[in-house]
Amino acid sequence: MKNIMINAIKDSKGIVLGAHINPDGDAVGALVGMATLCGFLHIPYQVMLENVPENFKELLEDIELNDTVTIDYDTFISVDCGDVDRLGKYKGLFEQAAVTINIDHHETNTYFADLNEVHADASSSCEVVYEIIKEAKCPLTQSLVSGLYTGILTDTGGFMHPCTSARTHQIVAELLQVPFDFTKIYYNQMVAKSEIATIMESVAIGHLSKLNNKSMYLAYVTAEEMKEKGATKEDLGSIVSQVKNIKGCEVAIFIYPIEEEKYKVSFRSNAPYDVAKIATIFGGGGHIRAAGATLNGTLEQVIEHVCKALNSES
């Protein structure tokens, strides 16, 4: 399949690349990888991405990033998207393309493109992209390895999550053959926190509760609390992991508002709990051990719906 996809890219007159809404490190890193490949193959491309978190913007400095399409394109490459709706406002561009390519690693992927390079056993979409890069004999540049390393690092939780495999470590070892400041990336992505992020962790833990199953913990923040502290969603990224770090926690849930009466729910788990299955109940998705969904309603209603779903799985 990789050769077929690489040939499709080579035959393209122009390529638009996109990722899921609210992109994370894996989405950004995978875009960097595929954009670099397009450049190597001398194919005109544009990366379409909205709401890029501040701590990932540096990775995109050498990439053609646009708000609107200004090239004549016939191919759309989606990375790190479980389904076409996750492309958000770029879904229409995907549907207008003559050739569509889907590169992903989510178990819940719907195989929505003409060509689907989906590997649920991979640690990250960046791991999948690396294999494509290698197959295409694209040189490893400093900006490329920085992007791929960031995606692998963040999606494995610092090489801690069960999705980390021997192949994951082999790929990282190969990336490290190219000089880049991996210690800086590791610190910035896995250790460093802003003052507001630290404060919001405290706020969320203040709402911490155990569910009926005593190994399940839920925390949340309100819109009023975010406004009072001047917090954005970027300041909340570490909270679900902090909940999961509680000794004995098997399922961690964190809920926060994204607009009026609309909430994002993040799940993390240990075996045997499949939080991707729970997330799909609400139209979300992800991985067995890390998933998410968006729910409408009041905070109380969202908590009630989540608890009901979790109780049915426990």
Side-chain angles (χ1 to χ4, degrees), residues 3-116:
N3 284 330
I4 295 173
M5 186 185 62
I6 291 168
N7 287 332
I9 293 173
K10 288 179 179 178
D11 292 339
S12 299
K13 63 182 178 181
I15 297 177
V16 172
L17 301 105
H20 60 76
I21 54 177
N22 301 316
D24 57 7
D26 191 30
V28 174
L31 284 174
V32 170
M34 293 309 298
T36 302
L37 177 60
C38 290
F40 170 67
L41 297 173
H42 305 292
I43 308 298
Y45 76 88
Q46 288 184 331
V47 172
M48 311 298 292
L49 198 60
E50 57 180 327
N51 302 322
V52 181
E54 195 65 36
N55 59 330
F56 299 132
K57 287 183 177 178
E58 186 177 350
L59 298 173
L60 297 164
E61 288 180 351
D62 298 329
I63 301 302
E64 292 291 335
L65 185 64
N66 300 81
D67 294 324
T68 58
V69 177
T70 60
I71 62 170
D72 187 16
Y73 80 99
D74 56 355
T75 301
F76 192 110
I77 299 177
S78 165
V79 302
D80 206 38
C81 269
D83 62 73
V84 69
D85 290 330
R86 290 282 287 156
L87 286 169
K89 68 180 184 180
Y90 303 124
K91 176 182 176 182
L93 296 176
F94 178 92
E95 293 173 336
Q96 292 167 21
V99 177
T100 56
I101 297 173
N102 165 29
I103 301 171
D104 191 32
H105 72 123
H106 292 94
E107 293 94 339
T108 54
N109 192 282
T110 59
Y111 291 75
F112 54 89
D114 299 322
L115 300 173
N116 299 281

Side-chain angles (χ1 to χ4, degrees), residues 218 220 255 298-308:
L218 182 147
Y220 64 85
I255 301 172
T298 65
L299 176 60
E300 291 76 15
Q301 289 170 335
V302 169
I303 292 174
E304 181 181 354
H305 291 324
V306 170
C307 289
K308 183 178 180 180

Side-chain angles (χ1 to χ4, degrees), residues 53-55 192-204 221 225-227 229-240 242 254 256:
E54 195 65 36
N55 59 330
K193 296 175 189 174
S194 68
E195 179 180 346
I196 293 178
T198 304
I199 290 171
M200 292 310 297
E201 282 186 5
S202 175
V203 171
V221 297
E225 289 166 337
M226 291 184 66
K227 183 178 180 180
K229 305 299 183 184
T232 68
K233 68 177 185 296
E234 293 180 25
D235 300 310
L236 309 177
S238 63
I239 294 176
V240 69
Q242 290 301 313
F254 173 59
Y256 67 90

